[in-house]
Amino acid sequence: MNVLVTGGCGFIGSNLVKYLRAQRPSWNLVNLDKLTYAGNLENLRALERDPCHLFVRGDIGNRELVDHLLRTHRIDAIAHLAAESHVDRSILGPEAFIQTNVLGTQVLLEAARHAKLSRFLMVSTDEVYGTGLFTETTPLAPSSPYSSSKAAADLVSLAYAHTFGLDVVVTRCSNNYGPYQFPEKLIPLMVANALNDRPLPVYGDGSNVRDWLHVEDHCAALTLALEKGERGQVYNIGGNSERRNLDLVKTILSALGKPESLIKFVADRPGHDQRYAIDASKAKRTLGWAPTHVFEAALAATVQWYVQHRPWWERIVSGEYQRYFDTQYAARLS
Ligand code: NAD
Ligand code: DAU
């Protein structure tokens, strides 16, 4: 199988690329990533000489490029992860979210339709449901520019299945954690700040609840959805590990041996969703998927990963990581 992975240099994308190389070694992967601030080619250093992984720097909104990749690499399926993914950034500047998440997705769908691909996996999010406990039939009620742009992309993808017969499968997953998450998101940000004895900014009163899933469990679900998902179907993916933000932050501090006095309650995120809780029984029943990581142990291992990989996130904080493509990667190719 030849698979085009979009956003393969981000947090989940780079974990998925490595997961697929290990679990589906006969698959050829083309990784299309624009390398926005969130894309980090260093995440895939281990695959630099891998003949079954080709990195292409480019925008999913570039139809000509997408057509060219689908044709020349005889792509069978697209795993679409590229997105602007951070809620706070979407509040500061929604435009890039509409551009990439909505219009970029539509470009990919149109290219996939014309190339008659056999599968289009749309990696959506549980945030499309708004706040509460979600099954796949819960009406969508997104609240942020990020989640509304994902909801638009999610629904347009399903429309391509219904109207054009494109073999679309949609997954809606809860909050991921694990290695290589950009340190603007809750867990890596709190670990980095705690290690530097800087304040840990908790929004509001810290009572918001998220359902945490280890990124490898998400990758396993995405692989099964690619292989076994049914056209036009939506699959919720969740970790059954709901935690209040404040409790999670305290657990991180305790794992690092740092005092709770580092916690600083700050102004709440505008439109902050109170709770995400997901019923993933359909994916378990129909895809044969189940999470394997136990939250407490996997969170402790994740915290240790950031302790041990301090240079990785320090290079992000300093901006050095963005020079890797020009100074080392491109030079190595020439
Ligand atoms: P991320 O921000 O870490 O990575 C996004 C990647 O997409 C980056 O490598 C970036 O360079 C690339 N990208 C952005 N715009 C692009 C464009 N126009 N063309 C090509 N590449 C572009 O995101 P993530 O946390 O890994 O999330 C990946 C996907 O999974 C997203 O679609 C997100 O909505 C979804 N998702 C994330 C979570 C989570 O907890 N992180 C949960 C559920 C769903
Ligand atoms: O549910 C899936 C979604 O999870 C994905 O679709 C998004 O791409 C991903 O970013 C994530 O969204 P959240 O907004 O839930 O993640 P974030 O890590 O930004 O925040 C988690 C919770 O922690 C949320 O309630 C806000 C809070 N928070 C976050 C930050 C960055 C804080 O209290 N302080 C912070 O500094």
Side-chain angles (χ1 to χ4, degrees):
M1 185 134 105
N2 300 323
V3 181
L4 177 70
V5 178
T6 70
C9 297
F11 163 48
I12 301 171
S14 61
N15 276 285
L16 179 66
V17 164
K18 283 181 271 195
Y19 180 90
L20 289 176
R21 288 301 300 123
Q23 302 296 327
R24 299 293 183 273
S26 64
W27 292 12
N28 291 305
L29 307 179
V30 177
N31 171 4
L32 174 60
D33 195 301
K34 187 178 176 180
L35 294 185
T36 67
Y37 80 93
N40 187 350
L41 205 46
E42 291 185 20
N43 298 358
L44 294 172
R45 213 185 267 247
L47 299 186
E48 253 165 40
R49 292 176 206 287
D50 184 336
C52 295
H53 168 250
L54 175 71
F55 167 67
V56 178
R57 187 176 194 175
D59 195 316
I60 55 165
N62 180 342
R63 175 71 192 272
E64 223 175 293
L65 172 63
V66 174
D67 281 345
H68 171 76
L69 293 177
L70 297 187
R71 201 173 46 245
T72 52
H73 297 285
R74 297 166 188 261
I75 296 296
D76 302 298
I78 295 180
H80 176 34
L81 291 91
E84 290 292 338
S85 70
H86 192 41
V87 174
D88 294 327
R89 284 182 191 256
S90 82
I91 295 166
L92 292 171
E95 192 181 334
F97 287 74
I98 305 302
Q99 192 66 43
T100 286
N101 299 1
V102 184
L103 300 175
T105 299
Q106 196 268 335
V107 168
L108 288 175
L109 287 164
E110 198 58 18
R113 172 164 91 94
H114 285 283
K116 299 188 170 45
L117 293 203
S118 54
R119 170 98 328 155
F120 188 100
L121 174 65
M122 170 63 205
V123 181
S124 186
T125 169
D126 65 351
E127 295 203 14
V128 299
Y129 297 117
T131 193
L133 169 63
F134 321 126
T135 69
E136 287 83 356
T137 54
T138 301
L140 304 198
S143 19
S144 71
Y146 162 69
S147 53
S148 57
S149 69
K150 291 294 291 186
D154 176 320
L155 293 179
V156 174
S157 300
L158 289 172
Y160 268 69
H162 295 302
T163 306
F164 301 120
L166 183 65
D167 200 338
V168 171
V169 168
V170 173
T171 55
R172 296 177 183 153
C173 187
S174 62
N175 287 62
N176 283 212
Y177 66 98
Y180 299 106
Q181 188 165 30
F182 199 84
E184 64 185 353
K185 305 284 168 63
L186 183 70
I187 292 177
L189 177 75
M190 296 298 162
V191 175
N193 282 14
L195 288 173
N196 287 328
D197 295 310
R198 297 186 51 193
L200 274 57
V202 171
Y203 298 161
D205 61 3
S207 67
N208 304 70
V209 172
R210 296 293 182 264
D211 172 14
W212 294 95
L213 179 75
H214 193 273
V215 66
E216 270 173 24
D217 285 326
H218 189 190
C219 292
L222 295 178
T223 306
L224 289 169
L226 259 176
E227 292 176 325
K228 295 185 178 176
E230 232 182 273
R231 184 174 77 199
Q233 289 295 310
V234 175
Y235 300 92
N236 282 352
I237 315 289
N240 222 6
S241 297
E242 282 183 62
R243 297 291 182 279
R244 289 192 325 151
N245 291 342
L246 185 57
D247 297 334
L248 179 56
V249 170
K250 286 181 179 174
T251 306
I252 292 171
L253 285 169
S254 153
L256 293 171
K258 296 286 183 179
E260 290 185 5
S261 56
L262 282 175
I263 293 173
K264 186 177 177 207
F265 292 97
V266 299
D268 208 354
R269 174 186 276 173
H272 198 172
D273 287 327
Q274 181 58 33
R275 176 186 178 214
Y276 301 148
I278 200 144
D279 176 348
S281 53
K282 177 177 171 184
K284 291 177 185 162
R285 204 175 54 247
T286 59
L287 300 178
W289 171 82
T292 58
H293 292 77
V294 176
F295 183 69
E296 271 66 30
L299 176 66
T302 298
V303 170
Q304 281 315 307
W305 188 90
Y306 288 99
V307 171
Q308 284 156 10
H309 292 76
R310 195 171 176 132
W312 177 82
W313 55 263
E314 280 183 340
R315 284 168 62 75
I316 292 177
V317 174
S318 72
E320 188 61 21
Y321 76 110
Q322 286 185 307
R323 287 165 30 84
Y324 181 72
F325 176 77
D326 299 322
T327 59
Q328 297 186 48
Y329 186 84
R332 212 164 282 161
L333 290 182
S334 60

